[in-house]
Amino acid sequence: MTVAAQVLTLLATLQRETDAGLLLITHDFGVVARIADDVIVMHDGRAVERAPVAGLFDDPRDPYTVRLLNAVPRIDGPMRRRAVLGDQRPPVLTVRGLSKTYGLTSRLLRRRTGEVRAVNDVSFDLAAGETLAIVGESGSGKSTTLHEIMGFAAPPGTISVNDMDPATTRGRTARALRQEISMVFQDPAGALDPRMTAHDIVAEPLRVAGRAPAEAAARVTELFTRVGLDAGHGQRFPRAFSGGQRQRLAIARALATEPSVIALDEPLSALDVSIQADILELLCEIQDATGVAYLLVAHDLAVVRKIAHRVAVMQGGEFVEIGPVADVFERPQHPYTRQLIAAVPPLDPRRARIEAGA
Ligand code: ADP
Ligand code: MG
């Protein structure tokens, strides 16, 4: 949100200096409220509504516009669940002192020229059935944290899944442990192999886990239904699915081996708002039904408020604050958390307006 505000201020400044018209395509109504003068809402290739920005928010005319506006999660909206599960349930994932430094190599000089401390001494527990969200601006180390956990990072730091340390397990136990944690990525188009059929994409983790083909096929059908996909579409390739359907497919794959933890890296940001709401709902339903824990990276605080039990605020590779969603959002302790919350635009063009910089 803080980086988005900087980019929008830059756009507004350049626009004022050059007197250019700006044609901006976005699915983010926060951005619309901040920068647009006029808005065209498109649906199925048609412009269904055109209005000055304040009019669109105050008095949307087209039912599709109304549906879109209602689908936007709000920072002051309802929290889904207030329960803090961490104290009562066993941790499924324990992370202690996780750190990661990337070496920077110069191609020209062909040697290491510096390093980036992407993650610095991060520790937390994730309880069974819990959603812990990690928020923080771009480059704060959120994705690296997930990738180090997924890669079962060797020290510095220790990770244990269901009380077992993947760094010290071997063979069959290591393979079983691998099935306990899976991942969903931001952009389902890039994350799914375009040459594999939908069926094979979901079946692959089952095959790797050594399940018999017939058993795997039955499980794939079950998973398609679980995530709201047509079980008859298994022979289609990813490109034949819409963005939302592809993310459903990625979720089905992540669920295949019945993991205790799913790491989700910005799973909604590539999707349209109305589809975001559906996927959010699906994730909540799955958690209620299976008790899977989510480690969710998201930059949209309204989404976090809606789905997470606890939230960790990351800045410069460190957790600067962690706590139940209600506490962190209503009584933020760290100045950076306050800054992040203050950067969320109100969904009101009169109050959200971005001004050009000096
Ligand atoms: P986030 O997901 O919060 O945006 P990342 O974990 O992707 O942040 O990045 C954290 C920091 O590590 C950033 O400074 C980024 O530039 C750096 N970084 C990420 N991946 C690499 C890489 N493969 N090589 C070098 N630096 C990297
Ligand atoms: Mg990232």
Side-chain angles (χ1 to χ4, degrees):
M1 289 298 176
T2 47
V3 175
Q6 288 163 18
V7 172
L8 291 176
T9 306
L10 179 63
L11 283 176
T13 307
L14 293 174
Q15 188 181 26
R16 194 190 53 192
E17 285 175 1
T18 60
D19 203 24
L22 184 64
L23 183 61
L24 181 82
I25 294 169
T26 179
H27 63 249
D28 186 332
F29 275 98
V31 169
V32 172
R34 292 165 118 181
I35 200 166
D37 300 308
D38 294 292
V39 190
I40 293 175
V41 179
M42 288 198 73
H43 183 44
D44 283 340
R46 284 185 312 119
V48 294
E49 180 157 3
R50 172 174 187 159
V53 67
L56 188 91
F57 280 81
D58 290 349
D59 186 19
R61 297 295 166 89
D62 188 84
Y64 179 69
T65 311
V66 174
R67 196 140 56 81
L68 279 184
L69 281 167
N70 285 339
V72 180
R74 300 182 183 233
I75 183 85
D76 53 358
M79 270 175 283
R80 190 179 166 86
R81 285 162 290 191
R82 291 180 181 270
V84 181
L85 301 169
D87 297 341
Q88 307 128 34
R89 303 202 190 181
V92 283
L93 174 69
T94 308
V95 174
R96 291 289 176 268
L98 183 70
S99 297
K100 169 74 182 179
T101 305
Y102 290 109
L104 295 177
T105 29
S106 158
R107 267 182 208 208
L108 193 66
L109 303 175
R110 291 171 186 274
R111 64 179 166 82
R112 212 168 145 121
T113 50
E115 48 185 41
V116 182
R117 273 222 129 172
V119 177
N120 190 11
D121 197 16
V122 161
S123 301
F124 65 90
D125 291 330
L126 179 69
E130 184 188 30
T131 298
L132 173 66
I134 305 178
V135 301
E137 67 189 23
S138 308
S140 56
K142 306 180 299 293
S143 294
T144 304
T145 303
L146 295 195
H147 288 128
E148 290 303 292
I149 293 169
M150 287 309 294
F152 287 162
T158 53
I159 291 167
S160 60
V161 180
N162 293 335
D163 277 333
M164 281 183 286
D165 181 352
T168 60
T169 49
R170 295 281 174 274
R172 193 191 296 251
T173 325
R175 270 202 303 282
L177 210 51
R178 189 46 33 255
Q179 294 170 33
E180 288 298 322
I181 174 160
S182 61
M183 184 149 178
V184 172
F185 298 87
Q186 171 173 0
D187 177 8
L192 302 172
D193 189 334
R195 293 157 305 182
M196 281 170 75
T197 62
H199 177 279
D200 290 347
I201 285 169
V202 179
E204 188 179 48
L206 295 164
R207 185 172 53 72
V208 172
R211 308 281 178 90
E215 187 198 332
R219 173 87 180 130
V220 171
T221 306
E222 187 187 314
L223 286 162
F224 267 62
T225 312
R226 177 75 274 250
V227 300
L229 288 174
D230 187 332
H233 291 172
Q235 292 317 306
R236 296 187 176 187
F237 290 92
R239 66 172 174 277
F241 292 90
S242 70
Q245 288 173 327
R246 281 197 286 253
Q247 202 56 308
R248 287 175 191 270
L249 198 56
I251 293 169
R253 177 181 161 102
L255 283 170
T257 57
E258 296 177 77
S260 350
V261 181
I262 301 182
L264 303 128
D265 195 352
E266 298 275 12
L268 305 178
S269 5
L271 307 173
D272 287 345
V273 250
S274 56
I275 293 161
Q276 284 187 7
D278 295 344
I279 299 290
L280 205 58
E281 196 52 43
L282 175 67
L283 288 171
C284 289
E285 264 173 43
I286 287 171
Q287 187 170 59
D288 292 344
T290 64
V292 67
Y294 294 141
L295 185 58
L296 169 77
V297 165
H299 69 261
D300 188 334
L301 298 188
V303 165
V304 167
R305 193 179 154 95
K306 211 165 169 186
I307 181 175
H309 299 95
R310 283 189 305 148
V311 56
V313 181
M314 199 163 189
Q315 181 191 28
E318 296 177 12
F319 279 10
V320 296
E321 181 161 1
I322 180 167
V325 167
D327 292 356
V328 173
F329 279 44
E330 273 146 40
R331 287 177 297 282
Q333 299 298 312
H334 195 277
Y336 179 66
T337 311
R338 287 190 214 119
Q339 205 185 318
L340 272 185
I341 293 172
V344 177
L347 259 190
D348 174 351
R350 288 181 196 85
R351 292 191 294 136
R353 200 78 192 158
I354 282 257
E355 295 305 330

